Amino acid sequence: MSSCNNSIPQPSIFILAGIPGLESFHGWFSVPFFLVCLITVIGNVTILCITWIEKSLHEPMFLLLAMLSIVDLCLVSVTVPRMLATFWMNAKEISFNGCLTQMFFIPSFYVMESGILLAMAFDRFAAIWYPLRYTTILGNNMLVKMALAILARAVAVLTPAPILAKRLQSFQTPIITYSYCAYMAVVQIACEDISDHVVYGLMVIVASVGFDLFFIILSYGLILHAVFQIPSWDARGKALSTCGCHLCVISLFYSPVVFSVLAQILGYHMAPHMQIIIDNLYFLVPPMVNPLIYGARTKQMREWVLRILHCYGD
């Protein structure tokens, strides 16, 4: 990396390095990335179509699942095509404004997905603790308010990122050692005091993922407490089965970011290419796995998928 003694002014073009140190394997990396994108699109579009057609799925839990599918599609749309262009066509250049756009939208959709998972945890909490008032608590008006709150938080928390980055005037190099324009990846190549940027980055994590994860853990603690008070073993098993599905999705979503944060806190320094691969897991694995898990666990969706496959088979 260049020294700040030879700094350059704010470049009009950045160069995305992809996965540094593994450039010769970019073609191989593109295969799983493309397959993940394909599975994600097919799975989430299927979830949305079935939810739209099947009237019995017009319930809070499935409407939240539809919201999750929309955000998953958006998240993959703003990450994977750019990565594939880098891996397949060596199209590494991205304009400064294009970089700022990615810097806003990629984490915004991630924060939205985190908010929806919190809303789904609240949905399960209301269904188990207040079954008779469930439909009243989570009516259409409440769902709209929750969706607007999730959107507003993401915009409020992430809007400063491109504004702060645009104020950086000198850089060590125009090369971003990442596969997309991550905020901290851009900040780290700046030749200025970045302490404010580091504090802002930590605030984003605390105000979004940290906040959501705390209340998700609290919700499921209360849910499990209520479930084990149910006298019927069948009812208890059904409740645990439903919660287990959500907990699986939550674990997949938060595990990479928790691992990354803990590694930094404990002073464990990963190889750059490993850090980038783990960071890519934030955005690639959950959108692919979510429809597979929920589709497999929902009877109506399984029946619709089997019906579609049967029609194609005929």
Side-chain angles (χ1 to χ4, degrees), residues 262-272 274-275:
L262 285 177
Q264 292 180 32
I265 292 172
L266 297 173
Y268 175 70
H269 298 287
M270 288 181 285
M274 281 302 301
Q275 180 67 55

Side-chain angles (χ1 to χ4, degrees), residues 3-313:
S3 168
C4 280
N5 293 329
N6 299 313
S7 64
I8 59 172
Q10 187 182 91
S12 59
I13 298 290
F14 279 120
I15 298 171
L16 296 172
I19 304 178
L22 297 175
E23 288 86 356
S24 59
F25 296 97
H26 278 178
W28 291 104
F29 277 110
S30 69
V31 176
F33 278 35
F34 174 74
L35 291 176
V36 165
C37 182
L38 187 63
I39 294 169
T40 299
V41 171
I42 293 172
N44 285 289
V45 168
T46 301
I47 292 282
L48 288 171
C49 290
I50 293 173
T51 305
W52 178 271
I53 295 168
E54 183 60 56
K55 302 298 181 184
S56 65
L57 296 179
H58 292 184
E59 298 176 0
M61 184 177 73
F62 297 109
L63 294 176
L64 287 169
L65 177 57
M67 288 169 53
L68 187 66
S69 291
I70 292 170
V71 172
D72 280 343
L73 288 169
C74 293
L75 184 56
V76 169
S77 298
V78 297
T79 52
V80 178
R82 176 72 248 188
M83 292 179 188
L84 291 179
T86 301
F87 294 158
W88 281 345
M89 298 177 287
N90 205 34
K92 296 184 177 182
E93 293 186 352
I94 184 170
S95 68
F96 188 80
N97 288 332
C99 186
L100 296 180
T101 303
Q102 265 201 337
M103 192 183 296
F104 172 76
F105 280 106
I106 292 177
S108 290
F109 289 128
Y110 184 84
V111 169
M112 286 182 207
E113 182 160 351
S114 180
I116 293 171
L117 290 177
L118 174 59
M120 295 175 84
F122 176 71
D123 167 81
R124 291 300 85 203
F125 170 79
I128 290 174
W129 273 76
Y130 306 103
L132 299 179
R133 296 172 52 204
Y134 171 64
T135 53
T136 304
I137 295 172
L138 281 167
N140 290 336
N141 288 338
M142 177 57 73
L143 289 176
V144 171
K145 290 177 183 177
M146 290 168 72
L148 291 175
I150 289 166
L151 177 62
R153 184 188 66 167
V155 172
V157 169
L158 273 309
T159 295
I163 296 173
L164 291 172
K166 195 171 180 66
R167 290 167 56 187
L168 297 171
Q169 294 302 314
S170 61
F171 291 82
Q172 302 169 38
T173 174
I175 300 173
I176 300 173
T177 55
Y178 239 67
S179 53
Y180 59 90
C181 276
Y183 174 70
M184 289 309 299
V186 174
V187 167
Q188 285 169 357
I189 61 172
C191 284
E192 299 175 24
D193 180 15
I194 62 170
S195 56
D196 291 342
H197 297 269
V198 173
V199 171
Y200 165 70
L202 292 172
M203 287 176 60
V204 170
I205 294 173
V206 172
S208 54
V209 174
F211 177 88
D212 294 344
L213 190 55
F214 173 79
F215 282 102
I216 286 171
I217 292 171
L218 179 62
S219 296
Y220 276 101
L222 294 171
I223 287 169
L224 291 174
H225 173 74
V227 166
F228 286 112
Q229 303 300 315
I230 299 173
S232 170
W233 280 96
D234 289 340
R236 188 184 300 182
K238 184 177 179 181
L240 286 173
S241 177
T242 303
C243 292
C245 175
H246 294 288
L247 287 172
C248 184
V249 169
I250 289 165
S251 299
L252 284 168
F253 182 80
Y254 288 108
S255 292
V257 69
V258 170
F259 174 78
S260 181
V261 170
L262 285 177
Q264 292 180 32
I265 292 172
L266 297 173
Y268 175 70
H269 298 287
M270 288 181 285
H273 63 271
M274 281 302 301
Q275 180 67 55
I276 293 170
I277 290 171
I278 290 173
D279 287 351
N280 285 332
L281 295 179
Y282 295 0
F283 310 114
L284 296 176
V285 175
M288 176 187 71
V289 174
N290 290 346
L292 299 178
I293 293 175
Y294 286 113
R297 298 295 302 173
T298 306
K299 181 182 177 183
Q300 297 96 320
M301 289 187 179
R302 287 202 308 271
E303 290 175 348
W304 268 96
V305 170
L306 291 173
R307 196 183 308 173
I308 293 168
L309 293 174
H310 181 70
C311 290
Y312 276 107

